Each structure stands twice: as structure tokens, then as C-alpha cells.
């Protein structure tokens, strides 16, 4: 009766793929995904280059001076941008630490989630562009036109960088177990 294990559903369902051996160590019995391309290191290098570009752009947008111009239309989208880029970097860290062969739950949390996280960055950058435009309309430019245009340019570059990351992740070849179909 002690060997019976209650199967979990939902968020922690991946824990069903672990069992203990005789020494008490946990063994993973679940499926794996393997990178099917030739250049795993080159793919990681490109992913990290895009991730670092996103970090630099979001930080440059915050330090441009115009993002934090005491306008809620700019501050809230900027905080969304920082959180979304942080989420992308966290997924890249997990992907890098997993290596060429990923456990199924790590694959879902990284490779499958990166395009959605990139879309979140794009939405936050779009909201930041809209917020900057609203701030320009509500408060005027008052001699800050060059700074506001730089802020808009950085947010447009962030949006483009996230779009490139999304497209690149979708082209990466991964092999794994066949997808489960609902019968």
C-alpha cells in the first residue's frame, strides 16, 4: 500500500514521472526531447545573443530618462517589459542548464513557452509605445521630443528583437515522443 502513488493532475503532473529506487534517490521515468539539429552550441549562442539584446534594450529604455517621466502610461508598460524579458531570460537559463536532451516538463517550460514569452515581450513593448504616445498627447513634448522619440525607437527595437527570438525558437528542430492525441 505504501508503493501506491496517487497520480496528480494539473500543474505538478510531471511529478508522476518520478519514482524512488532502493537507495532512496529519485529516478525520472518520463519522456525526453532531443535537439535534432547539428549545432546545439550555435543555437544556444544565437538564443543568448537575442536574449542579451532584449535585456540591453529594456535597460536602455529605462535609462533613457523619458520612460520614467512620472507618467503612469510609461511606467506600467515598462515594468511589464522588465518582467517579460526576465521571464525570457529565465527560460533561457533553464534551457541552457537542461542541455541537448531535455526532460518533457523542462521542454514544455522552455522551448514551448519561449514563443509565448516573446509574444508577451512584444505586447509589453507595444503597450509601452502606446503609453509613450499617450504621454506625448496628454503632457506634450515640452522640449523632450528627441528623448521621447529615442524611447519609442528603443521600444520598437525591443518589439522587433522579441519577434526575431520567437521566429528563431520556432525553427529549432526538436525530436521527442509523439504528441498525445485525445481519443
Amino acid at each position: 500500500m505504501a508503493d501506491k502513488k496517487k497520480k496528480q493532475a494539473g500543474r505538478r503532473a510531471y511529478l508522476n514521472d518520478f519514482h524512488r529506487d532502493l537507495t532512496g534517490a529519485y529516478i525520472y521515468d518520463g519522456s525526453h526531447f532531443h535537439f535534432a539539429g547539428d549545432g546545439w552550441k550555435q543555437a544556444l549562442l544565437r538564443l543568448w545573443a537575442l536574449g542579451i539584446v532584449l535585456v540591453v534594450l529594456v535597460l536602455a529604455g529605462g535609462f533613457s530618462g523619458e520612460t520614467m517621466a512620472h507618467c503612469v502610461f510609461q511606467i506600467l508598460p515598462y515594468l511589464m517589459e522588465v518582467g517579460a524579458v526576465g521571464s525570457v531570460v529565465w527560460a533561457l537559463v533553464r534551457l541552457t542548464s537542461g542541455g541537448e536532451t531535455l526532460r518533457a516538463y523542462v521542454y514544455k517550460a522552455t522551448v514551448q513557452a519561449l514563443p509565448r514569452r516573446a509574444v508577451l515581450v512584444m505586447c509589453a513593448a507595444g503597450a509601452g509605445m502606446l503609453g509613450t504616445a499617450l504621454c506625448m498627447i496628454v503632457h506634450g513634448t515640452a522640449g523632450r521630443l528627441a528623448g521621447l522619440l529615442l524611447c519609442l525607437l528603443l521600444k520598437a527595437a525591443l518589439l522587433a528583437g522579441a519577434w526575431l527570438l520567437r521566429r528563431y525558437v520556432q525553427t529549432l528542430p526538436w525530436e521527442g515522443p509523439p504528441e498525445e492525441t485525445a481519443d
Side-chain angles (χ1 to χ4, degrees):
M1 194 154 191
D3 291 335
K4 292 254 182 178
K5 186 176 173 182
K6 182 179 177 186
K7 295 290 183 181
Q8 294 180 351
R11 183 173 173 214
R12 297 184 182 260
Y14 71 92
L15 294 175
N16 295 331
D17 295 331
F18 287 91
H19 76 278
R20 284 192 173 192
D21 65 0
L22 296 176
T23 64
Y26 283 101
I27 306 294
Y28 179 72
D29 289 335
S31 56
H32 289 82
F33 288 82
H34 184 72
F35 184 74
D38 290 335
W40 169 246
K41 289 184 181 181
Q42 290 82 8
L44 270 183
L45 187 63
R46 287 182 186 128
L47 285 170
W48 273 105
L50 287 168
I52 290 171
V53 164
L54 294 180
V55 169
V56 167
L57 287 171
V58 80
L59 289 178
F63 291 121
S64 70
E66 297 303 327
T67 300
M68 300 300 170
H70 306 292
C71 184
V72 72
F73 301 130
Q74 289 179 293
I75 294 172
L76 291 178
Y78 179 72
L79 293 175
M80 288 174 33
E81 291 170 11
V82 170
V85 169
S87 173
V88 166
V89 170
W90 174 247
L92 290 175
V93 167
R94 284 192 73 189
L95 178 64
T96 304
S97 66
E100 283 185 70
T101 302
L102 298 176
R103 294 176 176 178
Y105 66 93
V106 176
Y107 175 81
K108 289 177 185 173
T110 57
V111 177
Q112 285 184 343
L114 266 171
R116 290 188 301 268
R117 292 175 187 209
V119 167
L120 184 63
V121 173
M122 291 188 297
C123 291
M129 291 171 68
L130 181 65
T132 301
L134 282 172
C135 193
M136 289 171 63
I137 292 169
V138 171
H139 300 291
T141 58
R144 303 177 305 146
L145 183 61
L148 288 169
L149 291 177
L150 174 66
C151 184
L152 283 172
L153 180 67
L154 288 170
K155 290 181 184 309
L158 180 65
L159 193 146
W163 182 78
L164 288 173
L165 177 71
R166 179 179 181 270
R167 291 288 305 237
Y168 183 65
V169 169
Q170 290 175 334
T171 63
L172 293 176
W174 288 89
E175 291 177 348
E179 292 188 25
E180 298 172 4
T181 57
D183 290 328

